Amino acid sequence: MVCRQLFESRRWEVVLSAEDECRIKKITYADDTELKLRNGECRLPLLGGRLTVVYEDKTTSKLSLCDDKAPLIFKMRKYWEGDGRRVKGIAKGHYIVIAPETWKRTGVTRVEPQLCTDEHFLAHYFFSDGDKDIDRFRDQSKIVLTQSVLQLKGESVFDDSGDGNLFVGKTPTLTPQGGISWACVGEEAKNGWKGSSFRPEEREISDVLKDRQGRFFVRVYDNNVELVDSGQFRYLRDIEEIRVNGHPYAENTLLLPPPTGHPPTEVRLIGVDGGTGGTIRSVTPTKETSTRGDTIVVEPRPILGTSTRGDRVSCTIESDTGSVDVVLDLPRAWWRMELDEIADCKWRDKPLVMTRQEFREHAFDGAVIRLRLPQRIKSARFGFDRQLDKELTLWGKNDGRILLSEFEDYTQIREHLNEDAPFNMECNGEKLTLIWIAADVTVTVGYSVSSDEKPCARVKTPGGGWRRGRGFSYGELGAAGGTVGGAICRSVPIDRRRQTIHLVNVETLSRLYDA
């Protein structure tokens, strides 16, 4: 029994999936309603009650769906991607729990539940790192918590794929845990090897895989042949490690740019013989990447919107007996200035430059610096020079936002100084300069004016704040000493209807003309 999310409606459906060897004659619901089996799948319109499966040899199976005692629990891939398979309880990993809409969940709901094809049920998102203290429903007996019984051991290398660990060298071993009688290993491909069942106490995974390499699933069952847990893993025999810019790629790897911005990133997959351990068949994306011998070169590229996949690169490594996809979310740091939740500039990898007066103006307007770092980085410290006395949680409520107003009273902003003041971030022991506060004697161009982007006009909202405007008014052009013709030549947007004049817009135009 599997669950999956429909693409258009985003609702979750439950499907009874039958292998080719299952000779099913008929499937009926509790009230003897016969359900159709097409291409080995039977979609369940109702999620309560019981199913009866009749086989061609006249044997039958009774399958319980959701009832008042227990919900439907499905083990998912990383970040709830793909299809989920029904299991007996929650151990470690990502899960979808389908329960009646009347059930009330305790704890903090990190992801809102979504609708199911049966409107009387909701799909709840659960994640467990193996601890028993997880959020659940008010009646704690309605979710079964189990210990992780699926443990693969072996040498592996780190990457960001959601397809399970990448084991290298010797084939991984499956350590049998209590209550596990059977296991099944097969290939995670539409027309791939269907797999083989075995008893973990009698056979090793290497005996089942033989010479196969690639992406595989592993499922473990109890004495009643009920699925207890499932997972995925990848196996490439000849890979030794992945290096980024000459260093082994690890969970704590972080790429911070120098003041000149991110340089091209070099990725190498090192084999046991010093080569690639296979053939690099394809690399995605194609525009920003190139191959140089056994090295993949990834150019830095701007990030659009709030996307977290701007630095993702994947490649397919093909061996003589299979292929594996390797994924790296290159952990580059990016930041940008935002005002009233509207971005006033693109994501940057070079320090913003502004004077102390400009810093105070932006702080008064409610501007923030939004920082984008890998999800595995939880917090960082900020401040001027070496005074890193502000700690910021990068994920959750703050979402990587640094309020400029928190630093208005700092000496570097309040007092007139004749030297520049760098606004720094420190993370994992490395320092990064986000802003250069230029000395008062220096004339600089503010962040909102750039040679490769249009200047932005701001207008007041009914609540007294600011938002991005359609363009500058005629009055603002005249106050800044400009003309309509000159604005058109400089690609300055003009709002022909607005008649108000805002000083902040006049100053923006003045800086543009001075530059």
Side-chain angles (χ1 to χ4, degrees), residues 183-248:
C184 181
V185 174
E187 192 173 6
E188 283 276 20
K190 186 175 182 180
N191 298 316
W193 171 55
K194 295 185 180 300
S196 178
S197 298
F198 63 99
R199 290 185 178 273
E201 295 181 352
E202 299 175 359
R203 298 181 66 188
E204 297 285 348
I205 290 182
S206 57
D207 299 331
V208 178
L209 290 184
K210 297 181 179 179
D211 291 330
R212 294 183 179 89
Q213 301 178 76
R215 174 187 164 204
F216 304 97
F217 66 80
V218 56
R219 300 165 190 153
V220 290
Y221 302 83
D222 60 14
N223 291 324
N224 298 322
V225 199
E226 291 188 13
L227 183 65
V228 177
D229 206 349
S230 66
Q232 304 86 32
F233 71 94
R234 294 161 295 154
Y235 174 58
L236 274 181
R237 184 184 307 110
D238 298 327
I239 291 291
E240 189 169 82
E241 70 177 356
I242 300 173
R243 292 182 185 173
V244 174
N245 289 342
H247 300 282

Side-chain angles (χ1 to χ4, degrees), residues 296-483:
I296 302 172
V297 181
V298 188
E299 297 291 335
R301 52 181 172 156
I303 305 169
L304 302 177
T306 58
S307 172
T308 59
R309 300 197 173 213
D311 296 314
R312 168 164 285 203
V313 59
S314 64
C315 60
T316 300
I317 306 299
E318 191 174 61
S319 67
D320 53 348
T321 59
S323 63
V324 162
D325 290 337
V326 175
V327 179
L328 274 71
D329 289 328
L330 295 177
R332 294 169 173 151
W334 301 88
W335 59 95
R336 70 181 181 186
M337 183 83 78
E338 293 183 358
L339 183 65
D340 281 351
E341 301 182 355
I342 299 177
D344 282 287
C345 66
K346 299 176 181 178
W347 290 100
R348 296 174 176 268
D349 57 352
K350 302 179 182 66
L352 298 163
V353 180
M354 63 184 71
T355 63
R356 290 173 169 81
Q357 178 61 30
E358 290 169 338
F359 187 97
R360 285 191 290 266
E361 291 175 358
H362 298 323
F364 178 79
D365 291 337
V368 300
I369 297 292
R370 185 179 292 273
L371 190 69
R372 202 201 76 123
L373 288 174
Q375 286 191 358
R376 52 182 175 264
I377 305 298
K378 303 302 181 183
S379 64
R381 303 191 70 83
F382 298 89
F384 287 102
D385 302 306
R386 297 182 180 180
Q387 189 179 354
L388 306 175
D389 57 350
K390 294 284 187 180
E391 185 169 356
L392 179 68
T393 301
L394 299 175
W395 303 102
K397 184 177 180 181
N398 290 328
D399 196 20
R401 294 187 301 167
I402 307 168
L403 295 174
L404 297 191
S405 58
E406 294 184 1
F407 299 91
E408 284 185 279
D409 294 333
Y410 276 55
T411 302
Q412 291 85 348
I413 298 299
R414 186 180 68 252
E415 297 184 3
H416 294 279
L417 303 177
N418 293 326
E419 59 183 12
D420 294 347
F423 184 74
N424 296 322
M425 177 204 79
E426 186 177 75
C427 184
N428 287 0
E430 298 185 56
K431 187 175 291 186
L432 171 65
T433 298
L434 301 177
I435 304 176
W436 285 105
I437 307 299
D440 293 327
V441 296
T442 305
V443 178
T444 60
V445 178
Y447 79 91
S448 61
V449 178
S450 175
S451 59
D452 60 349
E453 55 184 330
K454 297 179 181 180
C456 172
R458 286 182 281 176
V459 296
K460 285 204 170 187
T461 63
W466 294 90
R467 64 173 177 83
R468 181 190 292 268
R470 293 183 178 180
F472 297 89
S473 66
Y474 289 127
E476 291 166 346
L477 287 173
T483 63

Side-chain angles (χ1 to χ4, degrees), residues 16 26-28 50-55 58-64:
L16 184 65
K26 185 172 62 173
I27 301 175
T28 59
R50 176 173 295 190
L51 295 177
T52 300
V53 181
V54 181
Y55 301 94
K58 297 183 180 180
T59 59
T60 61
S61 296
K62 301 289 186 179
L63 301 178
S64 298

